[in-house]
Amino acid sequence: MKKTLALVMLAGLMLTGCGSKQASAPTETAKATAVAENTIEVPDVVGLTLDKAIDQLKDIGLKAHATDVDEGKTILIKKNWQVASEDPLAHAKVAEGSTVELGVKHLTDETPTPTPSPTPTQVAAKVVAPVAPPVVKAKPVAPPVVKAQPVAPPVVEAPPAVAPPVYSGIICKDGYAWPGTTRRGACHGHGGIA
């Protein structure tokens, strides 16, 4: 009797398990059909700022999750971040309400990211800072050394040497040369004969 009771219970359990599978099969098929009818094409949001990308995804019924792909920084102000990658890729078909993983870079990062072509709702403003010419430092140049020609002192010509006159006459004390050769009365008024 115990064996019979055990067989009856086992048979009942098996029938219950089969019945539940049959009842759930149409429900899963209905869900698969509903998902196929509510698929959305993922838009291309690479290059947009994070705030605009999230708005665009929400508008069509998708969720977004963003992660810094360079340094793992915390995202505080969404407009300061630019979308660098998306998963699933653009134009993929996903179910409504699916989450799109966005890889973002901070706008101050120096690595360039591709710029998407602007749509009519975007205004492309390109600001170009003027580039200063390179600074060229001039090497100091010494003035050329000019050797001065030695200057000879001016030549001063001495007056021609004049031989003292040979005078055979009388010289007075005041230096007067008496024209006569006789001593008598010579050098009178000139202080006498020298």
Side-chain angles (χ1 to χ4, degrees):
M1 184 132 156
K2 286 185 182 180
K3 285 184 181 181
T4 310
L5 184 59
L7 284 174
V8 170
M9 286 179 62
L10 185 58
L13 287 174
M14 288 174 61
L15 289 175
T16 305
C18 290
S20 66
K21 282 187 181 178
Q22 290 174 354
S24 66
T27 307
E28 289 177 16
T29 307
K31 284 183 185 177
T33 307
V35 169
E37 291 175 3
N38 293 329
T39 58
I40 299 172
E41 183 177 327
V42 176
D44 184 6
V45 294
V46 173
L48 298 178
T49 56
L50 181 57
D51 60 334
K52 291 181 181 177
I54 290 173
D55 289 344
Q56 190 172 348
L57 292 170
K58 281 184 181 178
D59 288 346
I60 61 171
L62 297 175
K63 298 176 187 173
H65 179 261
T67 306
D68 179 8
V69 294
D70 285 338
E71 299 175 17
K73 293 180 183 176
T74 303
I75 300 168
L76 297 177
I77 302 173
K78 293 178 178 129
K79 68 180 180 179
N80 292 341
W81 294 84
Q82 184 175 30
V83 178
S85 64
E86 63 183 303
D87 183 33
L89 296 174
H91 310 295
K93 302 284 186 183
V94 297
E96 184 177 353
S98 296
T99 301
V100 177
E101 292 293 329
L102 302 175
V104 295
K105 293 183 179 183
H106 199 269
L107 287 177
T108 59
D109 291 346
E110 293 184 15
T111 53
T113 54
T115 306
S117 54
T119 59
T121 58
Q122 296 175 321
V123 177
K126 189 173 186 179
V127 178
V128 177
V131 177
V135 177
V136 177
K137 292 185 178 180
K139 292 182 181 179
V141 177
V145 177
V146 178
K147 292 186 179 181
Q149 296 291 334
V151 177
V155 178
V156 178
E157 292 185 23
V162 178
V166 178
Y167 189 69
S168 58
I170 299 170
I171 304 284
C172 301
K173 286 186 180 180
D174 65 356
Y176 180 74
W178 188 258
T181 55
T182 60
R183 296 185 119 228
R184 190 166 156 208
C187 296
H188 178 67
H190 292 283
I193 299 174

